[in-house]
Amino acid sequence: MKKRLLWLRYLLLFFACLAVTGVYAQELTVSGKVTDAADGSTLPGVTIVVKSTTTGTVTDLNGHYSIKVKSGSILVFSYVGYQTQEITITTQTTVDVVLGSSVTGLSELVVIGYGQVKKTDATGSVSTLDKKEFLQGAVVSPQQLIIGKIPGVTVTTLGGAPGGDAVIRIRGGSSIYSSNDPLIVIDGVPMDNTATAGARGTLSMINPNDIESYTVLKDASATAIYGSRASNGVILITTKKAGPGAKKFGVGYDGFVSISAFPKMVSVLDGDQYRSLFLSKYPNDIAKDSLLGTANTNWQKEIYRTGASTSHDLSFYGAFKYLPYRIAIGYMSNNGTLLTDNVQRTTAGLNLNPVLFQDHLKINLNAKFIYEADQFADQGAIGEAIAFDPTHPVDTTNAYGNYWAWLQPNGTPVNQATTNPVAHLKLTNDHSNVTRFIGNLQLDYKLHFFPDLRAVLNLGGDYTTSRGTKYIPALASFQYLNGGVDNKYSQFKNNSVLDFYLNYVKDVKSIWSKFDVMAGYSWQHFFYDNVTYNNNIAHDSAHYQYLIDKREYYLVSFYGRFNYSLLDRYLLTFTLRDDGSSKFSKSTRWGLFPSVALAWKISDEPFLRNSKAVSLLKLRLGWGITGTQDISNNWYPYLPIYTASDVFTQYQFGNVYYITLRPEGYDADIKWETTNTLNGGIDFGFIKDRLTGAVDVYYRKTKDILNFIPVPAGSNLSNYIYTNIGDMWNKGIEFSLDAKPVVTKNFMWDIGGNIATNKNQITKLTATDDPNYPGILVGAISGGVGNTVQVISVGYPMNSFYVYQQVYDANGKPVEGVYVDRNGDGKITDADRYHYKSANPDFTWGIFTNLKFKEWTLSLAGHSEIGNYVYNNVSANRGVYANLYRPEGPYLGNVTSDVYDVNFNNQQYLSDYYVQNASYFKLDYITLSYNFAKLIKGADNFTVAFTVNNLFTITKYKGIDPEINTGSNVYGSTVGIDNNIYPRSKVFVLGLSLAF
């Protein structure tokens, strides 16, 4: 018994010693210093945190630290611009850490055409933006992510429609009749920028939550590798994937619910104001006064609503043995603020990225499936709500759906009258279903017997199928005479691509040189099949229309790039691409697009290499030629085309009418538009990259621009043809800056912004100078017949306003119909119109800031355009007394409140009074978030965020929104013209982001 007690004592004593030893093992004091891997200098302000806890410290001014930790803990060392490092503590008490430059800093790898390059080695003008820098909040279209974020890149959403499209311009526009859209490449697949029937936009179908980063190639030395499609810049989109080293399994969720506030409305007269004004204008006029109603209807309030939207994205990622994967599923439903407007999008994505044969074979498989269901609201109701008489109700008892309408004495609708906007929305069923697949397989093989050489094969495609219908019952007053609408359409688009290239990289240290040579072949096929069937409800033959549009074209290219680095600081890049397009005849089919760029990394010179102040200083100079092959909607512009006559232009022979064929004008030698670009730039980083930025200056000269010009009679069976005849230039300066003025253990402040200028001028439009040729009249407006308020003229910017100079009275009020006789001939004619201002801004800028305190983050960003002007078409059309009574019905109409500012009886469409300064600043979003991850075991992220989008706008513009499409666009578009824009709303968003 005593022996047992003795052994028990020994055993208890043994465990007690173990416990004491364990206690002391858990109370280690670890100290050391943190230095820079590049030059050995110490780093002050490095954050050291015990992983999965809130315990931490920072290095002092000499880079030293001290912290108490438990044995087995993991210390995480992190510093802005450097790679984060984790060290497990066992028994060591001194831990010195060397941090290298972060892959997220200036030495990161950036995607370029057909490859990657370290950002410090890039010779062209390249801007990158990753997911941490994207616009926050209720983002439903990919274009929204980069609004105001990149210098020289303007993104203008086309109003507040849910999932709506946007216009993207990189360094302005360089074409008149051709596309000015940039080339967009998603995971190596160049997109087709033609519109998709039934879709909200070309890019808007892509789930923005699947996007990892944007890379924008802006100058010709960066874009020339894409040759014939690169004159308007290139946007490379990389989607999220799980790469080598991925976890075995992870789950992520990102979602939000949002409420769009009731939108801002155009100021018009209410019912009482309208009746008072009407009776003052038409006193004792029984016939006219009898048309007044007794209601007080705010038609804009009747067509708008508070929009509710939701978005959910679930992802699974990790690695199954040697197979990294990411699977994503997303759903978004967005209700517009306009009645009946809705878009629903379902997406699924698969990314597989295995690396096989000891890193010799890299495989990237990307597949994206998209299904979009749209219910479109006819935006014509926006203008109708402004124009409709407010003294009548929305509903009544009649045969036209019980919606109030202007009727003739016989009870039929007045055809000329404004449509009841509520009826227009609720009686129109316009919906579509669109499915899309975007995918590619890339095989990157480093040859076993020659590892300096890589062979890369990329096979991909973009396939879209859409169907839609538009149905309006015959009882609708606005379609009564036509018998309703029963339209159907379908479309199939196919964009297939094959790329193959060889890449040889050799570092020859004996001569301090590195060679990177690439040569490849590209083939791309575009196919388009569109069928449209239009009819009324009764399917009368008189309303029957059946159209088939089937076409295709091919692009074949040979390309190469030579990169040379001497002493790792003198850099040379030369690219050459030879493009062939089936859009042109054999004599003009091929185009050669070269570029060359030089760069000097001054910061790597011996006299700056060990500088603590300068971390990067690089000079860049580049030149190149790019092209535009998207010259028109006609994919066969060099071929003669004959158009069949309609029922009104048939040829009569006896008693029989025969269909004739009318020859259209064409130019058999039509060719590419080409742009020469010269770009100079400086990239810089100071104080360990705490301050980084870039400055670029460029000059672009575009020649062989298409214009629609007269030709001698009989020379081409037509009096006008499209031909390469015009020239223009763009020039500008871009500047971006990012600063991290405060970085401590618990607080970090990041602030930055960008500013850019762009000016352009037309230098040639015709074969010979003609002083009587005013230019190309553009800028179609609402009101009158064929009125335009802009012109494209030699010596002036694109989309200059072309108007009369208004005369004002002694009180500063415009005098109706009185203009300045600028040519002094004693009369006012078209010769007195003059170039006044432009829709293009003098400069654009964006700003952002992020403040992080422990687990709290506050972020905000805004963008601005200065010096841009907008034609206020709403005011010009509706702000006159003549709209009160319309004798052609007769019917009544409302007027905007600014009618009292001008007191015009009739429209003065061409007065420069309506060309108004639309400079503005918008706060795009403000976000406050908190990350609860430390409170939840196994969570990498658990962030709850509250965001307000479109918080406010500062502007002097008199319309409801100054942000009108201000980028040069294809001829005929309404650039800088405010004509009943779909109003943008303030959006309140509650978001949740999880990762386990």
Side-chain angles (χ1 to χ4, degrees):
M1 184 69 179
K2 290 182 178 180
K3 284 186 176 182
R4 289 181 180 177
L5 290 174
L6 185 62
W7 278 107
L8 181 60
R9 289 175 184 174
Y10 287 151
L11 187 62
L12 291 173
L13 181 61
F14 174 74
F15 280 117
C17 290
L18 285 180
V20 171
T21 303
V23 168
Y24 282 105
Q26 292 174 0
E27 295 179 344
L28 295 173
T29 298
V30 178
S31 61
K33 66 178 180 179
V34 182
T35 56
D36 186 340
D39 56 18
S41 61
T42 56
L43 296 176
V46 176
T47 301
I48 302 104
V49 176
V50 180
K51 191 172 184 178
S52 301
T53 74
T54 57
T55 303
T57 186
V58 295
T59 57
D60 60 23
L61 293 175
N62 298 313
H64 292 87
Y65 74 95
S66 178
I67 186 172
K68 289 185 177 181
V69 298
K70 297 177 182 178
S71 178
S73 298
I74 299 174
L75 288 182
V76 181
F77 296 79
S78 59
Y79 191 59
V80 176
Y82 289 79
Q83 293 177 334
T84 297
Q85 199 172 136
E86 296 185 0
I87 295 179
T88 301
I89 303 301
T90 54
T91 60
Q92 69 269 44
T93 57
T94 300
V95 177
D96 293 331
V97 177
V98 179
L99 296 182
S101 294
S102 171
V103 295
T104 61
L106 286 172
S107 59
E108 67 182 345
L109 288 175
V110 297
V111 179
I112 58 174
Y114 308 103
Q116 291 180 324
V117 67
K118 281 202 308 181
K119 191 168 185 179
T120 52
D121 291 344
T123 56
S125 180
V126 179
S127 296
T128 60
L129 198 73
D130 67 19
K131 58 186 179 183
K132 293 179 294 185
E133 303 168 287
F134 290 162
L135 186 140
Q136 304 296 308
V139 177
V140 295
S141 296
Q143 304 96 315
Q144 295 175 266
L145 295 172
I146 59 174
I147 292 176
K149 297 288 187 176
I150 301 175
V153 180
T154 59
V155 181
T156 306
T157 56
L158 301 181
D165 207 357
V167 173
I168 303 176
R169 292 292 173 263
I170 299 176
R171 295 182 168 180
S174 57
S175 296
I176 298 174
Y177 286 90
S178 305
S179 172
N180 281 297
D181 294 327
L183 171 64
I184 296 175
V185 182
I186 301 179
D187 289 332
V189 180
M191 296 291 102
D192 172 20
N193 61 11
T194 59
T196 299
R200 298 275 173 166
T202 304
L203 192 58
S204 61
M205 294 182 68
I206 308 300
N207 186 347
N209 193 63
D210 287 338
I211 296 177
E212 178 73 20
S213 67
Y214 279 83
T215 301
V216 180
L217 312 180
K218 294 187 282 190
D219 73 333
S221 65
T223 62
I225 195 67
Y226 288 103
S228 66
R229 305 180 65 188
S231 276
N232 302 307
V234 180
I235 297 177
L236 307 177
I237 296 177
T238 303
T239 59
K240 296 176 182 176
K241 55 180 64 69
K247 296 180 179 179
K248 290 186 177 180
F249 182 72
V251 180
Y253 168 81
D254 292 279
F256 68 79
V257 292
S258 68
I259 298 295
S260 298
F262 209 85
K264 183 179 179 181
M265 298 181 295
V266 176
S267 178
V268 295
L269 305 186
D270 64 26
D272 293 335
Q273 292 170 333
Y274 182 88
R275 275 183 287 267
S276 176
L277 176 62
F278 189 91
L279 293 173
S280 68
K281 289 291 181 181
Y282 304 102
N284 304 317
D285 191 328
I286 298 175
K288 292 182 178 65
D289 295 348
S290 64
L291 298 175
L292 287 169
T294 59
N296 200 342
T297 305
N298 187 325
W299 289 99
Q300 293 180 87
K301 283 189 176 181
E302 295 294 338
I303 66 167
Y304 293 127
R305 64 185 177 187
T306 300
S309 303
T310 184
S311 176
H312 306 280
D313 291 285
L314 187 64
S315 59
F316 306 92
Y317 49 88
F320 179 73
K321 294 185 178 179
Y322 300 105
L323 181 63
Y325 64 86
R326 183 179 186 270
I327 302 171
I329 302 171
Y331 172 78
M332 181 271 295
S333 177
N334 193 341
N335 288 314
T337 53
L338 190 59
L339 286 180
T340 74
D341 205 8
N342 173 266
V343 57
Q344 298 182 60
R345 182 181 63 214
T346 303
T347 60
L350 173 66
N351 298 86
L352 302 176
N353 313 104
V355 180
L356 308 175
F357 306 128
Q358 296 180 329
D359 294 341
H360 277 266
L361 178 61
K362 297 179 180 179
I363 301 174
N364 288 302
L365 175 66
N366 304 292
K368 302 169 190 63
F369 303 89
I370 305 109
Y371 173 76
E372 181 176 298
D374 286 287
Q375 176 69 44
F376 296 98
D378 194 320
Q379 295 185 27
I382 296 173
E384 293 163 354
I386 296 170
F388 208 89
D389 167 20
T391 68
H392 293 284
V394 175
D395 306 309
T396 189
T397 301
N398 62 21
Y400 306 105
N402 292 325
Y403 291 104
W404 199 94
W406 288 102
L407 304 178
Q408 300 184 78
N410 62 3
T412 59
V414 175
N415 191 45
Q416 303 94 329
T418 304
T419 297
N420 181 324
V422 178
H424 199 167
L425 292 171
K426 292 191 174 182
L427 293 179
T428 300
N429 184 6
D430 185 355
H431 66 270
S432 68
N433 298 284
V434 186
T435 58
R436 187 175 187 180
F437 168 79
I438 303 173
N440 72 305
L441 172 65
Q442 185 182 83
L443 305 175
D444 186 337
Y445 175 53
K446 182 172 61 176
L447 278 63
H448 279 77
F449 56 88
F450 193 12
D452 293 332
L453 182 65
R454 296 165 49 238
V456 181
L457 175 66
N458 181 44
L459 301 171
D462 180 6
Y463 307 95
T464 305
T465 301
S466 60
R467 295 182 181 276
T469 63
K470 184 173 184 178
Y471 182 89
I472 302 174
L475 59 80
S477 62
F478 53 97
Q479 283 293 335
Y480 176 78
L481 294 181
N482 295 325
V485 172
D486 186 11
N487 298 343
K488 297 179 176 64
Y489 59 87
S490 64
Q491 185 184 78
F492 173 71
K493 293 171 64 179
N494 174 4
N495 166 20
S496 303
V497 63
L498 178 151
D499 277 308
F500 177 76
Y501 62 91
L502 297 173
N503 185 207
Y504 173 76
V505 180
K506 186 66 175 179
D507 194 350
V508 186
K509 297 186 183 299
S510 60
I511 57 173
W512 312 288
S513 298
K514 183 177 180 180
F515 300 89
D516 186 339
V517 184
M518 184 268 289
Y521 166 81
S522 178
W523 172 92
Q524 196 163 7
H525 174 228
F526 300 87
F527 177 78
Y528 175 102
D529 187 2
N530 193 51
V531 177
T532 304
Y533 168 84
N534 295 333
N535 215 322
N536 62 2
I537 303 303
H539 289 202
D540 297 337
S541 59
H543 295 86
Y544 175 81
Q545 186 183 47
Y546 184 69
L547 302 173
I548 298 177
D549 183 8
K550 184 181 292 187
R551 44 197 161 114
E552 65 180 343
Y553 75 93
Y554 292 85
L555 284 173
V556 176
S557 309
F558 301 91
Y559 53 86
R561 178 170 55 221
F562 174 75
N563 287 329
Y564 173 68
S565 172
L566 176 63
L567 296 170
D568 197 32
R569 55 183 182 269
Y570 307 111
L571 310 173
L572 165 70
T573 300
F574 174 76
T575 65
L576 185 66
R577 183 170 180 125
D578 196 15
D579 274 342
S581 172
S582 63
K583 287 186 175 181
F584 306 106
S585 67
K586 291 183 179 180
S587 62
T588 59
R589 180 157 296 165
W590 290 89
L592 199 62
F593 303 99
S595 77
V596 63
L598 301 170
W600 176 24
K601 291 197 287 185
I602 305 173
S603 53
D604 285 353
E605 293 287 353
F607 61 85
L608 275 179
R609 187 174 300 161
N610 297 320
S611 170
K612 294 183 179 181
V614 180
S615 49
L616 175 69
L617 184 61
K618 182 177 67 174
L619 294 179
R620 294 179 280 103
L621 181 64
W623 166 88
I625 299 175
T626 51
T628 300
Q629 63 93 33
D630 285 330
I631 56 175
S632 71
N633 291 327
N634 179 9
W635 289 2
Y636 314 101
Y638 71 96
L639 294 175
I641 295 176
Y642 294 84
T643 303
S645 60
D646 56 25
V647 294
F648 303 104
T649 57
Q650 294 180 1
Y651 183 77
Q652 182 179 3
F653 188 78
N655 295 324
V656 181
Y657 290 85
Y658 293 92
I659 294 176
T660 60
L661 296 177
R662 182 183 71 252
E664 302 290 346
Y666 72 98
D667 180 0
D669 296 320
I670 200 168
K671 58 183 179 181
W672 323 85
E673 296 181 349
T674 57
T675 299
N676 282 264
T677 302
L678 183 64
N679 189 99
I682 302 174
D683 299 327
F684 58 85
F686 300 113
I687 319 172
K688 308 295 185 184
D689 293 346
R690 293 278 287 270
L691 180 67
T692 60
V695 181
D696 277 273
V697 180
Y698 64 88
Y699 177 83
R700 302 167 60 201
K701 174 73 174 181
T702 304
K703 64 178 183 177
D704 297 327
I705 297 176
L706 281 188
N707 191 11
F708 193 56
I709 65 169
V711 294
S715 61
N716 202 332
L717 303 178
S718 176
N719 293 328
Y720 286 83
I721 62 168
Y722 288 103
T723 189
N724 302 95
I725 199 70
D727 296 341
M728 71 174 294
W729 54 255
N730 279 269
K731 63 181 179 181
I733 303 173
E734 299 166 355
F735 175 65
S736 62
L737 188 67
D738 188 313
K740 297 175 176 62
V742 181
V743 179
T744 66
K745 170 187 172 182
N746 293 321
F747 181 73
M748 188 189 80
W749 179 26
D750 185 7
I751 185 170
N754 63 82
I755 188 168
T757 67
N758 175 267
K759 294 186 180 297
N760 65 75
Q761 187 179 112
I762 304 295
T763 56
K764 183 181 178 183
L765 284 176
T766 54
T768 58
D769 293 335
D770 182 359
N772 297 318
Y773 178 57
I776 308 168
L777 297 176
V778 296
I781 63 173
S782 175
V785 178
N787 278 325
T788 60
V789 294
Q790 291 172 327
V791 69
I792 299 174
S793 302
V794 172
Y796 294 93
M798 289 273 286
N799 305 111
S800 296
F801 292 100
Y802 194 51
V803 288
Y804 292 118
Q805 184 177 354
Q806 181 67 56
V807 172
Y808 296 83
D809 63 19
N811 297 319
K813 295 286 187 179
V815 181
E816 183 173 359
V818 181
Y819 305 107
V820 174
D821 180 12
R822 294 181 64 88
N823 66 356
D825 65 356
K827 53 186 178 181
I828 301 298
T829 65
D830 277 347
D832 294 304
R833 293 173 71 175
Y834 76 115
H835 299 83
Y836 176 66
K837 305 298 184 181
S838 170
N840 304 310
D842 292 332
F843 62 91
T844 60
W845 58 279
I847 189 171
F848 72 89
T849 188
N850 298 312
L851 296 99
K852 183 176 177 61
F853 176 71
K854 293 185 177 181
E855 305 309 313
W856 291 96
T857 301
L858 176 67
S859 303
L860 58 90
H863 75 282
S864 172
E865 293 189 355
I866 304 296
N868 54 303
Y869 280 74
V870 165
Y871 177 79
N872 192 337
N873 200 173
V874 176
S875 179
N877 194 31
R878 300 305 312 176
V880 297
Y881 295 120
N883 289 320
L884 294 171
Y885 173 78
R886 303 305 305 169
E888 61 268 25
Y891 67 95
L892 307 184
N894 207 350
V895 294
T896 55
S897 300
D898 55 8
V899 68
Y900 298 116
D901 296 332
V902 294
N903 286 311
F904 287 174
N905 289 302
N906 296 295
Q907 286 91 349
Q908 305 298 314
Y909 292 115
L910 301 183
S911 170
D912 63 8
Y913 173 84
Y914 295 107
V915 178
Q916 299 170 357
N917 189 332
S919 299
Y920 68 87
F921 170 77
K922 284 195 172 187
L923 188 62
D924 295 310
Y925 70 86
I926 182 169
T927 296
L928 180 64
S929 65
Y930 187 87
N931 190 349
F932 294 89
K934 291 183 178 179
L935 305 179
I936 301 174
K937 185 177 181 180
D940 291 329
N941 181 34
F942 195 115
T943 301
V944 177
F946 178 71
T947 303
V948 183
N949 289 116
N950 198 28
L951 190 63
F952 62 77
T953 301
I954 300 173
T955 185
K956 293 182 178 179
Y957 178 60
K958 297 179 181 180
I960 63 170
D961 195 335
E963 190 175 8
I964 309 296
N965 176 15
T966 55
S968 299
N969 210 339
V970 178
Y971 169 74
S973 64
T974 53
V975 180
I977 297 176
D978 181 3
N979 185 18
N980 300 318
I981 186 175
Y982 194 131
R984 301 176 180 90
S985 298
K986 188 180 300 181
V987 185
F988 301 91
V989 189
L990 183 62
L992 176 64
S993 182
L994 307 175
F996 292 93

